Amino acid sequence: MRIRFLQRGGQRLFLDLVILKLKSPSLRGLLQFGFDVPYSTLKNYYVGARLMPEELVRDFCDVAGLEFGGLDVEDVEDNWGKVLGGEVGKR
């Protein structure tokens, strides 16, 4: 499952809060806490180009001491937003 923040720019605000709570110097500094995510993917999450997986959001919450239930989010399927290529191509 993927997590979509309901507030516009909420994903960036969430990552900024995690950086602040962990006293990390930057977004790249989050990787020192043992997250197995490439830095380029982390940047895509930060600018909102991609939705974050639920397990990664929960891991960030656990490490930063945040409560997952307090976030204003909704679950979406992993294939949310994919193009229906076959339907459009039949025309």
Side-chain angles (χ1 to χ4, degrees), residues 14 18 35 53-65 68:
F14 170 72
V18 170
F35 297 110
E54 182 179 357
E55 56 270 2
L56 182 62
V57 173
R58 288 187 183 272
D59 289 344
F60 279 147
C61 287
D62 289 343
V63 171
F68 181 75

Side-chain angles (χ1 to χ4, degrees), residues 37-52:
V37 178
Y39 177 62
S40 60
T41 304
L42 203 56
K43 285 191 304 186
N44 285 333
Y45 294 151
Y46 188 74
V47 298
R50 297 177 65 191
L51 297 180
M52 295 174 62

Side-chain angles (χ1 to χ4, degrees), residues 4-90:
R4 187 172 76 164
F5 287 81
L6 298 178
Q7 178 187 2
R8 186 174 182 98
Q11 191 163 296
R12 176 180 282 220
L13 293 174
F14 170 72
L15 287 173
D16 283 339
L17 183 62
V18 170
I19 290 169
L20 183 68
K21 289 278 193 179
L22 295 177
K23 297 180 182 164
S24 177
S26 65
L27 187 64
R28 188 182 292 260
L30 288 178
L31 298 177
Q32 71 182 353
F33 291 96
F35 297 110
D36 190 26
V37 178
Y39 177 62
S40 60
T41 304
L42 203 56
K43 285 191 304 186
N44 285 333
Y45 294 151
Y46 188 74
V47 298
R50 297 177 65 191
L51 297 180
M52 295 174 62
E54 182 179 357
E55 56 270 2
L56 182 62
V57 173
R58 288 187 183 272
D59 289 344
F60 279 147
C61 287
D62 289 343
V63 171
L66 300 171
E67 187 175 328
F68 181 75
L71 299 176
D72 192 21
V73 297
E74 70 176 353
D75 293 336
V76 293
E77 294 296 323
D78 286 332
N79 63 352
W80 180 82
K82 286 191 179 182
V83 177
L84 299 174
E87 293 295 322
V88 175
K90 288 182 183 178

